[in-house]
């Protein structure tokens, strides 16, 4: 039995080594093909930088030229328009703030679909209305290209460390091609179903995040006013039934954690305007599906009030 186990183990090791060598060769060959990246904001820049780190030449653009400088300093080629990027790359990732931005970048006068090449893989990591993802997929298909939605979770910190979670929707046969790129930028890549399914999963996640963040902020504030040390309270929450991502990984109270927006004057995080936008999308989908989401609705109102009061970071 021991000999049989050793033999099986050695065979498995040889097989595993062969698989790794094949993957390494595949990635080495693929790295010679440029990847387009459009949208170099707080999330897009570190994501594109991780593609560069993995050996992929990056061709990028952004509406704001000053946003391109950091990536250009890391070796990316910067072009003027999304159409220019489409002319040079047959794999393009977009990371944009909202549905109108995505529509403009893909179908506008200088959009990707004006010069997209047949067979191009288009991966949109923006968080937008699932119906817009479906519209873009139809428009891309007419041009002979393939569109997939792949929104992310994890925030700026995870983007910098290549630890994002990608929720992918699209033609399943194209999933492996998308996964090859997404694993350079994330720790988890999950296939969710057809186009729009990734967006659906992201909106559900962000609605829960918003509710959890509000609850964590209220809880921490109450504890502080009761005289509790915030670090101690966070420690207790995180070993008790109140534990959640907002308490143990992204605590909103300054001084409790390092490496989060609350430790940096709330700079560099996911802005309240973007969260309000995502909650608005969740509300729209809830209405369309006749789904009751009272806490999601209340969270939406709270974030809108924050934005109206100028608390946009």
């Amino acid at each position: 039995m021991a000999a049989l186990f050793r033999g099986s183990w050695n065979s498995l090791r040889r097989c595993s080594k062969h698989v790794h060598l094949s993957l390494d060769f595949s990635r080495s060959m693929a790295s010679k093909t440029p990847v387009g990246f459009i949208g170099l904001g707080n999330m897009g820049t570190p994501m594109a930088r991780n593609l560069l780190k993995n050996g992929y030449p990056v061709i990028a653009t952004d509406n704001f030229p000053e946003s391109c400088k950091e990536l250009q300093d890391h070796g990316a080629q910067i072009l003027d328009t999304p159409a220019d990027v489409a002319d040079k790359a047959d794999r393009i990732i977009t990371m944009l703030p909202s549905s109108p931005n995505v529509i403009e970048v893909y179908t506008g006068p200088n959009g990707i679909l004006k010069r997209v090449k047949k067979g191009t893989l288009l991966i949109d990591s923006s968080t937008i209305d699932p119906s817009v993802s479906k519209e873009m997929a139809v428009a891309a298909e007419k041009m002979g290209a393939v569109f997939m939605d792949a929104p992310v979770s994890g925030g700026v910190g995870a983007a910098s460390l290549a630890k994002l979670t990608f929720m992918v929707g699209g033609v399943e046969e194209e999933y492996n091609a998308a996964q090859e790129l997404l694993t350079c930028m994330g720790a988890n890549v999950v296939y969710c179903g057809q186009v729009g399914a990734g967006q659906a999963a992201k909106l559900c996640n962000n609605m829960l995040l918003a509710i959890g963040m509000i609850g964590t902020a209220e809880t921490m504030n109450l504890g502080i006013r009761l005289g509790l040390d915030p670090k101690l309270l966070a420690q207790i929450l995180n070993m008790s039934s109140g534990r959640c991502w907002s308490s143990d990984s992204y605590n909103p109270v300054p001084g409790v954690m390092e490496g989060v927006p609350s430790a940096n004057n709330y700079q560099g995080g996911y802005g309240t305007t973007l969260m309000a936008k995502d909650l608005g999308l969740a509300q729209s989908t809830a209405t369309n599906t006749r789904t009751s989401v009272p806490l999601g609705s209340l969270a939406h109102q709270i974030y809108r009030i924050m934005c109206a009061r100028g608390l946009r970071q």
Side-chain angles (χ1 to χ4, degrees):
M1 182 63 73
L4 178 62
F5 176 79
R6 284 195 299 271
S8 298
W9 173 243
N10 288 334
S11 296
L12 180 61
R13 288 175 66 188
R14 285 193 296 271
C15 179
S16 176
K17 183 177 180 181
H18 175 72
V19 168
H20 282 297
L21 286 173
S22 297
L23 287 174
D24 289 342
F25 177 75
S26 174
R27 176 146 308 171
S28 175
M29 293 299 290
S31 69
K32 297 177 182 178
T33 304
V35 177
F37 205 105
I38 300 170
L40 301 176
N42 288 337
M43 294 291 290
T45 293
M47 289 168 65
R49 195 166 59 236
N50 282 322
L51 288 171
L52 287 168
K53 288 179 181 177
N54 279 272
Y56 292 89
V58 171
I59 300 172
T61 192
D62 189 276
N63 259 351
F64 301 96
E66 61 272 18
S67 299
C68 302
K69 187 178 185 310
E70 179 183 344
L71 200 66
Q72 188 172 32
D73 291 343
H74 281 81
Q77 181 183 358
I78 304 299
L79 300 180
D80 292 332
T81 69
D84 294 333
V85 173
D87 196 43
K88 300 289 186 181
D90 59 12
R91 293 178 295 175
I92 302 172
I93 298 168
T94 52
M95 186 59 164
L96 304 161
S98 66
S99 296
N101 297 120
V102 170
I103 293 170
E104 177 68 18
V105 162
Y106 278 90
T107 65
N110 293 308
I112 292 169
L113 298 184
K114 294 299 180 183
R115 299 222 295 268
V116 71
K117 294 177 282 188
K118 290 187 182 299
T120 295
L121 176 61
L122 306 169
I123 304 173
D124 181 41
S125 288
S126 319
T127 299
I128 60 173
D129 191 315
S131 66
V132 173
S133 293
K134 293 174 183 177
E135 290 173 15
M136 295 303 100
V138 171
E141 186 178 11
K142 289 179 179 177
M143 303 303 295
V146 177
F147 178 96
M148 304 186 81
D149 58 306
V152 304
S153 179
V156 176
S160 299
L161 298 172
K163 292 185 177 180
L164 291 167
T165 292
F166 286 89
M167 293 153 268
V168 184
V171 180
E172 190 169 7
E173 289 76 15
E174 299 292 338
Y175 173 63
N176 287 339
Q179 187 181 34
E180 177 192 319
L181 295 178
L182 299 181
T183 51
C184 296
M185 301 177 287
N188 303 295
V189 182
V190 183
Y191 180 69
C192 300
Q194 294 303 301
V195 171
Q199 297 294 348
K202 174 62 188 293
L203 293 180
C204 290
N205 176 81
N206 273 25
M207 186 174 76
L208 181 57
L209 168 61
I211 294 168
M213 182 57 80
I214 291 169
T216 300
E218 289 187 356
T219 297
M220 293 297 296
N221 188 47
L222 176 61
I224 291 168
R225 293 191 176 201
L226 288 170
L228 292 172
D229 176 78
K231 283 188 175 181
L232 174 65
L233 177 55
Q235 180 184 359
I236 292 170
L237 291 175
N238 294 334
M239 63 175 63
S240 304
S241 55
R243 176 181 174 271
C244 64
W245 187 81
S246 297
S247 68
D248 75 357
S249 298
Y250 222 67
N251 199 286
V253 177
V256 171
M257 297 182 64
E258 296 296 326
V260 295
S262 60
N264 188 35
N265 196 30
Y266 299 103
Q267 299 298 309
Y270 196 69
T272 53
T273 51
L274 289 176
M275 181 57 84
K277 179 264 296 183
D278 292 354
L279 288 168
L281 292 172
Q283 290 300 294
S284 177
T285 57
T287 299
N288 293 338
T289 57
R290 298 182 179 180
T291 305
S292 177
V293 288
L295 288 181
S297 179
L298 180 57
H300 184 211
Q301 295 305 313
I302 290 173
Y303 273 89
R304 288 180 66 189
I305 290 170
M306 291 172 66
C307 292
R309 293 182 178 177
L311 303 173
R312 297 175 178 271
Q313 291 296 335

